Amino acid sequence: MNNLRKIDSIIPPPPAHMVGDGFRVHGFFPGQLSNKKRMSPFFIMDYGSKIEFTPSSEPRGVGVHPHAGFETVTIAYHGRVAHHDSAGNRGVIKEGDVQWMTAGSGLLHKEYHEKEFSKTGGLFQMVQLWVNLPARFKKTTPKYQGITREMMGKFLLPDKKSIIEIIAGEYNGVKGPAFTFSPVHLYNARLAKDASVEFDLPEKYNTGFLVIEGNVKVNSENVPTDHFVLFKNEGEKIILEASEDAVVLVLSGEPIEEPLAAYGPFVMNKWEEIEQAIHDVNTGKFGVLED
Ligand code: MN
């Protein structure tokens, strides 16, 4: 019998800011956390809550920029996001899909609204996580995993309407398709009204729930839409109940217990490595990418 996991805090969405002209995001962390390693291996969570974009002939987005030392994980809940990078990867993620990009030793990329979505405009909602890499994998070759909703592991709940979609890690023996460099569980809990589900996540794993859709109860506490539940590292069992149809992003991962040096688009272990990354970008080592 596992103990109920304690809630640290329920965090409302911080004021939104624009990333380029295509992504209006609430920077939940690291900003709202007591220290930058609090949700390790997750370093950043930017949440683009629902917004209507007007039609545009020119796709909105963010221009060419570098990344190194970690992974960007983008989840589209509404709208479609396109990406291409200097390692030669490109992809479009549709509603419910995930783009898992390993920046590793470094690349340049561009993120923007998919062309047809831009033309029609419409509802847009997404999450971008930055997942840190353990020191021994910081220099790994850049790669890209396009994970469609169809590819995700699926655990159907007893009401036959609610489902746990496993993106990474495992839930009740069902595995997710994402390759990760450290232990990570990442799920979408898509619950019908009145459904309830239990999670049993290791106490030492840093764990949080982001409520994407609907109002829910987490261990009997009310949590409104667009709020983030930060859990303490005490107890394992979490009970999620849907007060109405709901979608909750579940993130849980083993902390990376290593020094952290983060600056702009780089997440490293030492400041010298940040300086090296800036030098590498400036001398073309991350490749070239046309805007
Ligand atoms: Mn980026």
Side-chain angles (χ1 to χ4, degrees):
M1 176 75 187
N2 288 325
N3 294 322
L4 217 54
R5 194 172 187 120
K6 294 208 170 73
I7 291 175
D8 181 307
S9 46
I10 296 170
I11 304 173
H17 65 273
M18 291 301 295
V19 177
D21 63 359
F23 304 96
R24 189 205 58 170
V25 300
H26 307 274
F28 271 95
F29 58 75
Q32 305 296 304
L33 302 182
S34 52
N35 77 67
K36 289 185 174 182
K37 285 158 91 173
R38 179 61 183 83
M39 273 301 289
S40 174
F42 308 101
F43 177 66
I44 276 182
M45 184 175 75
D46 274 349
Y47 170 46
S49 61
K50 283 181 183 169
I51 183 172
E52 282 283 340
F53 279 103
T54 54
S56 168
S57 53
E58 203 54 37
R60 296 179 175 93
V62 51
V64 176
H65 59 278
H67 288 297
F70 66 100
E71 304 181 282
T72 64
V73 177
T74 309
I75 309 166
Y77 289 98
H78 290 283
R80 296 190 296 276
V81 186
H83 145 103
H84 67 275
D85 64 44
S86 56
N89 298 304
R90 60 172 59 236
V92 172
I93 52 168
K94 305 180 187 69
E95 296 196 351
D97 297 347
V98 177
Q99 173 190 92
W100 198 298
M101 185 194 76
T102 307
S105 61
L107 49 63
L108 303 174
H109 83 155
K110 192 176 169 181
E111 299 155 278
Y112 45 100
H113 296 187
E114 182 264 339
K115 212 165 82 189
E116 294 307 311
F117 174 78
S118 298
K119 280 186 197 160
T120 56
L123 187 63
F124 195 76
Q125 187 184 26
M126 52 76 71
V127 171
Q128 185 167 88
L129 298 166
W130 290 16
V131 181
N132 198 6
L133 288 168
R136 67 186 189 283
F137 296 122
K138 290 264 181 218
K139 296 277 182 196
T140 192
T141 307
K143 68 169 185 169
Y144 178 86
Q145 303 173 74
I147 299 167
T148 63
R149 204 172 162 189
E150 292 70 38
M151 288 162 69
M152 293 172 189
K154 290 173 186 75
F155 186 91
L156 194 64
L157 297 178
D159 68 0
K160 306 279 186 217
K161 292 182 284 184
S162 304
I163 193 164
I164 308 300
E165 292 175 343
I166 303 103
I167 301 163
E170 165 171 2
Y171 177 81
N172 270 2
V174 181
K175 288 194 166 69
F179 174 86
T180 66
F181 290 86
S182 67
V184 166
H185 297 295
L186 190 66
Y187 322 134
N188 281 316
R190 296 183 182 269
L191 304 188
K193 185 181 187 308
D194 297 328
S196 109
V197 59
E198 248 180 63
F199 298 93
D200 192 356
L201 296 157
E203 193 165 53
K204 69 177 258 199
Y205 281 28
N206 290 324
T207 298
F209 283 10
L210 178 65
V211 183
I212 302 291
E213 188 82 55
N215 290 291
V216 298
K217 280 186 179 170
V218 177
N219 291 350
S220 304
E221 297 270 350
N222 282 310
V223 186
T225 314
D226 297 339
H227 283 51
F228 180 69
V229 183
L230 174 68
F231 293 96
K232 290 186 175 173
N233 296 80
E234 286 177 62
E236 296 94 9
K237 193 168 88 172
I238 303 170
I239 301 165
L240 173 65
E241 298 165 277
S243 314
E244 54 190 327
D245 288 356
V247 179
V248 174
L249 176 66
V250 173
L251 42 158
S252 185
E254 186 178 67
I256 297 173
E257 316 269 11
E258 291 172 348
L260 181 72
Y263 177 78
F266 312 115
V267 183
M268 301 297 185
N269 302 106
K270 293 183 244 160
W271 282 104
E272 299 90 272
E273 293 163 340
I274 300 279
E275 283 160 17
Q276 184 65 47
I278 294 168
H279 177 79
D280 288 350
V281 170
N282 291 338
T283 53
K285 290 215 176 77
F286 283 20
V288 261
L289 195 65
E290 300 296 321
D291 196 18

